[in-house]
Amino acid sequence: METIVFSLLNGIIYGLLLFMLSSGLTLIFSMMGVLNFAHASFYMLGAYFAYTVMGATNYWVALILAPIIVGVVGMGVERWGLRRVHANGHVAELLFTFGLAYLIDEIVKIVWGRTSVNYQVPDALNFPLFTIYNAQYSAYRIFILFVAIFMLCALWYLLKKTRAGLIIQAALTHPHMVGHLGHNVPAIFMGVFGAGCALAGLAGVIGGNYFITDPAMAVQMGPIVFVVVVVGGLGSLEGAFVAAMLIGLLQTFAISINASFADIFGFLGLSPTSEFGSITIASMAPMLPFLLLVLILIVRPTGLMGDREV
Amino acid sequence: MTTDYAALEPSRSEKFRQRILPLILFALLLVVIPFFGPSRTTLTLLNHMGINIVFALAFNMLLGRAGLLTFGHAVYVGLGGYFCVHILNWIDASDGGFWSSVPVFSMPIWGFAMGALAGAVIGWPSCKRSGTPFAMISLGVAELMAAFAYMFDSFFGGEMGISGDRMSGPEFLGLSLGPLDEVYWFIAFWTFVGVALMFAFTRTPLGKLSEATRDNPERVQFIGFNPTRVRYLVFIFSGAFAGMSGGMAAVQDEIFTPESLSLIPSGAVLIAAYIGGIRYFTGPIMGAIVLTYMQSNLSDYSAGWLLYLGLLFICVVMFVPNGIAGMVYGGYDAVRKGKTAEVLGQFALRALGVALMAVSVIVIVEVAFRYSEGYGEVFEPFGLSLPPESVLTWILAVVPLAAGIWLTRHVTRKAEEV
Amino acid sequence: MTNFKRAALAATVSVLAMAGSVSADTVKFAFIDPLSGPMGSSGDAGFTSFKLAAEHINAAGGVNGDQIEVVGYDNKVSPKESLVQLQKAIDSGARYILQGNGSSVAAAIIDAVNKHNARNPGEEVVYFNYAAVTPAFTNEACSFWHFRFDAHADMKMNAITDWIKSRDDIKKVYLIGQDYVFGEAVAAAALEQLSEKRPDIEIVGNELHPLAKVKDFTPYIQKIISSGADAVITGNWGSDMTLLVKAAADSGLKIPFLTFYGGSLGAVAALGEGSIGTLYQVTEGITNLEASDDQYALIEEYKDRFPDYDYYYHRAFVTMNMFDMAAEKAGSNDPIAVAKALEGLTYDGAYGTVTMRAEDHQAQQPLYISTVSKDVKYGVDNIDLGWALVDNGTIPATAAEAPTTCKMERPE
């Protein structure tokens, strides 16, 4: 019982954090077909901007301001970089963001130094909210939960219920038609890219002090974000949400399983001292998302809830 | 009016000039290099260039030729290389028996076989897809393999990897493979074999079909081929050649560690191939040479070498999508068409513009790096002192940049007018 | 004509100057470690320490009259790239190699140095390892050309288990580590030593997780809480270490996390006050130990010169000073002579006596267990938290010592 409660709670929080990170990427990916390799770098920028803004003002200002700055940077990247590369195809776009990730990493090191910065949870949220089974749950974890849910609702409302959302959705599938109807499609693209980056920035503000803020944080977060987006399916915010939750829960539940391969396949004669037999499910847990990615793409290339092939 | 297709066939001299001559020149170049008496450092660098040339070409069989982007091609280099280091140890330990008659010289063949096997196993599920799903599967597989490499110590040797001794076993062609200049001949031989074979591959029906599958898989299906199978076969060959470069690396470095399977070398080969130019057969060769040199030597001059590399890469993607090879062949074409003077003039102006921008970028980066590290060091190129607060620094950071941008734009506009 | 004479004179002078510089040679040290990229800062912290140590020796007259020069070679923590840089270093005349980050790189360098020395007699190089802690390097894989100035993993574990022995309130211990050779070796050493020194202690968990893949350690922390552990032993480094302790602080788990790498750059800054009384480390010295005024001056000079870093690599100074002693003793800067003189050499360091054990080239030195505290003389990471010695935290060299299986082959 204890294990299940813990795993559920942790899985949901981790899943929501993953969702915050990947929702922006899903937006960009589904709209422009660009797998933004630098997405995790924008997440990092969010954390660093928040650190700087927090130093000058306070956390709440940073929470609003940092994502906006990241969004503006993202719009600049789209306007003067990506748009130019667009003519050379998707591979070129992808490689552009690949190079951009390198660049942002290095610039962050020049500006903020090469080691981690002291970006801490604000005092107002730095207290244990409740305790279950001897483990404290800090208020900040619950705060993450609420911010993520708020973001999910806001995004959903914006995309499904407003006029701007309709245009974006239309531009997603039929950019030429939308252009003919008199909308400025390049501007929409720029806006969406900026918004996607801003969402990554928001995740950075939240995740930067929950985890650590250092120049390696982008590299560490990079791959898992792709997994969420691709498993969830292209063009599907719901899919990204489901995938993020699935991965969060899968991973945390797996950590609590101490069984080894020998315990499971022992009837086949696998010895617990052999190299393969001694591997436990728990130690494999962080690799499961990648296994899931490969399997899903082979079985169902549209992803869980996507409507077209990735 | 009917076209006489026979007349379109290249003449024998054209065939020779286009297909055989470059290979002969390449072989000559490889043979001539040692006569300049390169130092051991240069030899090490040349050997790594050879390895990376084969790897980059193998990678480009997928990206450039078959249109399959992969983020995990180092997996095949790693598996081939690991297998070869194991063989090195078996040869060393053997006392009579099969392995004692195997020369170390044959390592790339073993790597080739292992790479092909790995490609056949991993390629089977992943080649059912193309485009982005294929790229993402390769990313997932690469992450899994890199993690496994740390878990299964008996094959991968854990963090320390596995080392072997290239001086064991029977000698071949009188090469003991001890000193680096003998290793150079080994690498040169196999680099040439790899390049020639991969060039020959582009001329085979399968090579041609892979390009057709890249451009229009449906039409390939119409004429009776299965695109999935074409991709799968190309994938096996590409994995095999990557494994071959792993075998070469096993002899050169005599050690393989789990990092060699990770995303880092996979990303590096992508950058190398793209900078060189993925549309040309020779592009990845040029890219591999440039990138290997930069990786090993740029760090001697500047702590910000990664930043320069990133900038260079972005600039290539944005402004020179056909890479170095594209520039070289573009210039060559212009010369052949008799527009030498015009092209040369434009090229000189552009080069000047780029050089001006480079001056500013270097000043900005170097000053920023020294400022951020805070040791109080001052950037002093050619006896100029450029502290961050000096006016000269700011002038050098802004004026050449503006002038360079203006110049290149001006040239581009003129070229477009013509 | 005068022009010609002047030119000839200038040429003569410059030739003489060159001849002069040959007689007052430089001893070249090649520092092969990451100086760029994600690990760049940790390599740079070592590099600056070695450079300062060399400057001090040079200022005091050099080694046998020669000046030491430490040149950095960026290996990007890649074993392959390290081999290129090693060749570059050897060709540029370096006979001493310094390296520490990553056992994979260390293994590649030991292997390459062994082969180079066998294939190029008369051109030997010696490798001073200042931080790669895999025990094998001074056991089954030991080499005459390799000297380790850091305590290896089993010795550090000896220190940790010795300290646990003195703490009767610790009854349950949880082991967690990264899933690769090093993590497994740490867990195995802990199991073995605890069962010997404190058979009453129960190992309530022995967990491995993949290297640098876990972002949220909270599920692991809750497993630890459920197990009722009184202390955690971990060999984790980098973000795996920081995130683990951070998650513990968030969940209100206030038990000692005994780490090897708690003192890594930026870890205390990232953890903030959550690290007080939670994060423990074992090292060969901390700045807040009682020491001579000279040592305090050195610590302050380092901080002053390199404000991004703290005086952490004490062993860099030990390495250079012991090299200086050995070379003076041998009367030569030749690698073989120095290596032979280093064997069995004893050096009175700021934090105790260091002996280079002759059988396996493993430095024997006292180790210290410390934890993060607010009440310290020197903070780290430019915040006011720093490392303070814990009760019974001084582990004498004899207690930390580990036996060796090394069968060393020495050159004639």
Side-chain angles (χ1 to χ4, degrees):
Chain A
M1 187 60 208
E2 192 181 336
T3 320
I4 293 173
V5 171
F6 275 152
S7 300
L8 261 180
L9 210 59
N10 289 323
I12 289 171
I13 292 174
Y14 185 54
L16 282 174
L17 203 71
L18 279 181
F19 169 70
M20 289 179 76
L21 248 172
S22 39
S23 57
L25 188 62
T26 304
L27 259 189
I28 296 170
F29 190 17
S30 43
M31 169 136 242
M32 313 168 79
V34 186
L35 250 189
N36 182 10
F37 253 84
H39 196 71
S41 304
F42 287 106
Y43 157 78
M44 172 163 75
L45 279 182
Y48 272 102
F49 283 138
Y51 165 70
T52 305
V53 173
M54 194 177 163
T57 55
N58 64 43
Y59 181 75
W60 308 106
V61 177
L63 188 65
I64 309 288
L65 206 56
I68 294 176
I69 305 174
V70 176
V72 171
V73 172
M75 277 156 85
V77 165
E78 203 283 335
R79 174 68 186 79
W80 286 292
L82 217 50
R83 194 175 294 182
R84 224 196 140 92
V85 183
H86 189 70
N88 299 331
H90 283 337
V91 173
E93 286 177 315
L94 193 151
L95 293 177
F96 172 79
T97 60
F98 194 72
L100 188 68
Y102 265 83
L103 222 58
I104 294 181
D105 268 18
E106 288 300 307
I107 291 171
V108 161
K109 271 182 231 162
I110 291 181
V111 177
W112 286 280
R114 300 208 270 189
T115 56
S116 55
V117 292
N118 186 15
Y119 174 37
Q120 297 294 346
V121 173
D123 290 336
L125 289 171
N126 197 11
F127 59 91
L129 197 65
F130 56 88
T131 305
I132 38 170
Y133 301 114
N134 295 325
Q136 292 173 356
Y137 269 83
S138 71
Y140 197 67
R141 288 172 70 86
I142 306 306
F143 174 71
I144 293 179
L145 208 128
F146 279 113
V147 172
I149 292 173
F150 171 75
M151 198 180 100
L152 177 68
C153 297
L155 258 182
W156 184 83
Y157 179 79
L158 242 130
L159 281 178
K160 304 278 169 173
K161 300 283 165 188
T162 63
R163 196 179 149 70
L166 282 179
I167 297 170
I168 289 173
Q169 278 194 313
L172 230 145
T173 44
H174 301 92
H176 290 295
M177 199 60 206
V178 173
H180 291 316
L181 286 174
H183 297 289
N184 186 351
V185 174
I188 297 178
F189 272 33
M190 187 169 90
V192 168
F193 195 84
C197 292
L199 289 178
L202 179 63
V205 181
I206 301 277
N209 49 5
Y210 180 57
F211 298 135
I212 42 176
T213 302
D214 67 358
M217 66 192 280
V219 183
Q220 285 163 355
M221 267 299 180
I224 192 86
V225 183
F226 291 127
V227 175
V228 173
V229 170
V230 175
V231 167
L234 184 66
S236 165
L237 213 56
E238 299 92 329
F241 179 71
V242 172
M245 296 310 278
L246 182 70
I247 287 173
L249 289 171
L250 189 72
Q251 206 168 322
T252 34
F253 268 102
I255 288 173
S256 57
I257 302 173
N258 274 330
S260 68
F261 281 134
D263 295 338
I264 301 166
F265 299 108
F267 62 91
L268 296 175
L270 191 68
S271 115
T273 49
S274 69
E275 211 165 354
F276 187 70
S278 63
I279 294 175
T280 61
I281 302 284
S283 72
M284 283 291 296
M287 298 318 298
L288 288 178
F290 296 100
L291 205 62
L292 190 71
L293 167 80
V294 173
L295 292 180
I296 288 265
L297 281 181
I298 292 167
V299 179
R300 196 181 150 81
T302 54
L304 285 177
M305 306 186 73
D307 42 9
R308 56 201 148 116
E309 283 219 5
V310 173
Chain B
M1 196 186 132
T2 53
T3 318
D4 182 8
Y5 288 105
L8 289 175
E9 195 194 5
S11 67
R12 294 187 82 168
S13 72
E14 271 175 338
K15 275 186 183 169
F16 176 77
R17 210 180 62 229
Q18 287 171 1
R19 300 177 194 171
I20 311 293
L21 189 65
L23 284 175
I24 295 178
L25 287 178
F26 182 57
L28 270 178
L29 180 72
L30 289 174
V31 170
V32 165
I33 285 174
F35 293 101
F36 289 98
S39 70
R40 285 180 304 188
T41 308
T42 318
L43 280 172
T44 313
L45 200 62
L46 285 170
N47 290 349
H48 280 113
M49 279 178 185
I51 294 163
N52 286 340
I53 285 173
V54 175
F55 182 29
L57 280 175
F59 173 80
N60 205 41
M61 278 170 87
L62 289 180
L63 177 59
R65 301 271 146 192
L68 293 170
L69 174 62
T70 154
F71 291 110
H73 218 47
V75 167
Y76 308 96
V77 181
L79 289 176
Y82 261 110
F83 183 55
C84 289
V85 181
H86 279 290
I87 294 181
L88 282 180
N89 287 328
W90 293 335
I91 293 176
D92 204 20
S94 69
D95 193 19
F98 173 68
W99 291 116
S100 62
S101 60
V102 174
V104 171
F105 199 84
S106 66
M107 268 325 112
I109 301 176
W110 299 99
F112 188 89
M114 184 65 185
L117 184 69
V121 174
I122 300 173
W124 177 245
S126 37
C127 284
K128 290 184 178 162
R129 307 282 167 223
S130 64
T132 317
F134 177 86
M136 295 321 293
I137 292 178
S138 74
L139 182 76
V141 168
E143 283 278 6
L144 287 175
M145 288 304 294
F148 285 149
Y150 282 103
M151 288 181 189
F152 293 99
D153 300 347
S154 56
F155 186 75
F156 294 104
E159 192 197 13
M160 285 159 60
I162 293 188
S163 55
D165 186 359
R166 64 184 174 218
M167 287 180 77
S168 50
E171 286 186 9
F172 185 77
L173 298 176
L175 289 175
S176 71
L177 290 180
L180 273 172
D181 46 349
E182 291 187 15
V183 180
Y184 172 80
W185 288 116
F186 164 85
I187 297 278
F189 175 80
W190 285 110
T191 305
F192 179 76
V193 169
V195 170
L197 282 180
M198 277 186 271
F199 182 67
F201 181 84
T202 63
R203 318 291 314 165
T204 60
L206 181 60
K208 293 280 175 205
L209 265 178
S210 80
E211 284 173 56
T213 317
R214 170 194 66 194
D215 294 335
N216 197 335
E218 273 169 5
R219 199 167 269 197
V220 170
Q221 243 169 338
F222 286 153
I223 56 169
F225 294 98
N226 180 352
T228 307
R229 182 171 300 167
V230 171
R231 282 196 286 264
Y232 182 47
L233 287 174
V234 174
F235 192 83
I236 294 177
F237 273 103
S238 174
F241 280 107
M244 178 175 160
S245 77
M248 291 159 70
V251 174
Q252 154 66 31
D253 298 330
E254 301 178 282
I255 187 167
F256 253 85
T257 49
E259 283 96 330
S260 52
L261 280 85
S262 69
L263 289 180
I264 297 168
S266 297
V269 76
L270 171 60
I271 295 181
Y274 204 87
I275 287 183
I278 56 168
R279 288 177 196 203
Y280 300 88
F281 179 78
T282 43
I285 302 183
M286 301 179 191
I289 292 173
V290 169
L291 204 76
T292 312
Y293 182 81
M294 284 177 70
Q295 263 183 343
S296 295
N297 286 31
L298 213 56
S299 54
D300 291 0
Y301 303 109
S302 167
W305 72 280
L306 270 170
L307 188 59
Y308 291 120
L309 196 65
L311 273 175
L312 173 77
F313 184 61
I314 284 192
C315 288
V316 168
V317 173
M318 283 181 72
F319 303 108
V320 209
N322 288 334
I324 304 171
M327 286 202 293
V328 172
Y329 289 119
Y332 179 67
D333 270 354
V335 171
R336 270 210 327 189
K337 283 181 191 151
K339 293 199 233 159
T340 318
E342 194 185 320
V343 171
L344 218 61
Q346 264 189 25
F347 182 78
L349 280 179
R350 270 209 188 124
L352 182 68
V354 171
L356 282 171
M357 283 190 259
V359 166
S360 285
V361 169
I362 291 174
V363 167
I364 294 171
V365 171
E366 294 301 320
V367 170
F369 252 90
R370 281 166 179 73
Y371 179 70
S372 93
E373 289 194 344
Y375 303 159
E377 211 181 310
V378 175
F379 182 45
E380 291 178 325
F382 309 109
L384 286 171
S385 170
L386 299 177
E389 63 279 357
S390 125
V391 183
L392 182 65
T393 312
W394 289 94
I395 291 175
L396 276 177
V398 176
V399 175
L401 187 67
I405 291 174
W406 178 81
L407 193 64
T408 38
R409 283 203 157 182
H410 178 73
V411 175
T412 313
R413 218 170 294 142
K414 276 240 167 134
E416 274 166 6
E417 277 168 20
V418 175
Chain C
M1 206 55 193
T2 44
N3 270 346
F4 174 74
K5 271 186 188 163
R6 208 173 286 159
L9 186 70
T12 328
V13 169
S14 61
V15 165
L16 279 178
M18 275 166 71
S21 70
V22 167
S23 69
D25 239 341
T26 52
V27 185
K28 242 185 159 179
F29 276 70
F31 180 86
I32 304 183
D33 252 338
L35 296 169
S36 65
M39 297 276 288
S41 54
S42 104
D44 208 31
F47 188 38
T48 47
S49 306
F50 277 107
K51 275 213 285 207
L52 188 62
E55 276 172 33
H56 277 248
I57 293 172
N58 289 342
V63 182
N64 291 322
D66 294 346
Q67 296 283 296
I68 298 179
E69 187 191 1
V70 184
V71 184
Y73 292 88
D74 185 2
N75 72 357
K76 300 112 197 166
V77 245
S78 145
K80 286 202 188 299
E81 185 57 35
S82 305
L83 297 179
V84 179
Q85 301 299 337
L86 176 68
Q87 191 65 58
K88 221 194 275 178
I90 293 175
D91 277 4
S92 76
R95 292 290 166 268
Y96 297 95
I97 311 296
L98 305 165
Q99 186 274 341
N101 282 294
S103 286
S104 57
V105 176
I109 290 185
I110 291 178
D111 193 53
V113 164
N114 284 345
K115 283 172 182 150
H116 171 88
N117 290 350
R119 290 169 193 170
N120 303 278
E123 213 191 327
E124 286 82 2
V125 293
V126 172
Y127 163 34
F128 294 152
N129 168 1
Y130 73 93
V133 297
T134 302
F137 299 154
T138 47
N139 281 297
E140 62 270 24
C142 70
S143 157
F144 176 77
W145 311 106
H146 165 256
F147 290 87
R148 171 154 54 198
F149 291 84
D150 194 8
H152 67 60
D154 290 354
M155 295 165 69
K156 290 187 179 182
M157 187 54 75
N158 254 333
I160 290 176
T161 48
D162 250 51
W163 180 75
I164 289 180
K165 198 168 75 178
S166 73
R167 285 275 305 255
D168 290 333
D169 54 328
I170 295 180
K171 304 239 185 290
K172 290 177 175 176
V173 172
Y174 200 100
L175 310 174
I176 183 165
Q178 294 149 323
D179 196 358
Y180 75 115
V181 184
F182 175 64
E184 289 160 18
V186 167
L191 274 177
E192 192 197 317
Q193 293 178 13
L194 281 178
S195 69
E196 198 178 295
K197 293 179 189 169
R198 279 282 302 274
D200 61 308
I201 281 188
E202 189 191 346
I203 307 290
V204 288
N206 189 353
E207 182 97 47
L208 294 172
H209 61 80
L211 190 63
K213 288 278 181 298
V214 184
K215 273 82 199 180
D216 192 353
F217 271 96
T218 318
Y220 293 98
I221 293 301
Q222 282 168 348
K223 266 177 111 170
I224 295 174
I225 294 176
S226 310
S227 74
D230 302 315
V232 176
I233 298 179
T234 177
N236 280 12
W237 47 267
S239 63
D240 282 342
M241 192 275 301
T242 329
L243 288 173
L244 176 72
V245 180
K246 183 143 187 158
D250 277 349
S251 297
L253 181 61
K254 277 272 171 202
I255 58 173
F257 274 69
L258 293 150
T259 70
F260 284 18
Y261 295 108
S264 322
L265 264 173
V268 175
L271 291 169
E273 304 202 346
S275 58
I276 297 175
T278 312
L279 185 61
Y280 285 63
Q281 67 163 348
V282 49
T283 50
E284 79 284 6
I286 48 170
T287 48
N288 294 315
L289 284 176
E290 214 40 59
S292 64
D293 286 345
D294 284 352
Q295 183 63 18
Y296 287 143
L298 180 65
I299 292 169
E300 275 151 29
E301 184 189 356
Y302 182 84
K303 188 71 196 171
D304 200 40
R305 286 273 300 279
F306 309 110
D308 282 359
Y309 308 121
D310 302 293
Y311 183 90
Y312 173 75
Y313 285 111
H314 173 63
R315 48 191 181 266
F317 295 88
V318 172
T319 306
M320 294 314 268
N321 289 337
M322 284 186 79
F323 162 76
D324 185 24
M325 273 176 79
E328 300 276 354
K329 186 174 130 195
S332 151
N333 296 339
D334 175 62
I336 297 188
V338 171
K340 286 192 169 153
L342 259 177
E343 292 192 323
L345 192 74
T346 301
Y347 164 73
D348 281 321
Y351 305 124
T353 306
V354 186
T355 311
M356 181 52 73
R357 190 159 72 179
E359 302 112 87
D360 59 348
H361 293 186
Q362 169 66 52
Q364 306 296 329
Q365 55 196 331
L367 295 175
Y368 301 90
I369 311 263
S370 50
T371 185
V372 179
S373 163
K374 232 180 176 168
D375 177 30
V376 288
K377 183 173 164 92
Y378 298 112
V380 290
D381 298 336
N382 296 323
I383 56 174
D384 54 359
L385 299 175
W387 294 95
L389 193 68
V390 297
D391 291 341
N392 300 318
T394 306
I395 314 293
T398 45
E401 194 169 358
T404 177
T405 57
C406 172
K407 291 188 189 64
M408 191 160 308
E409 286 170 31
R410 292 185 169 72
E412 293 311 306

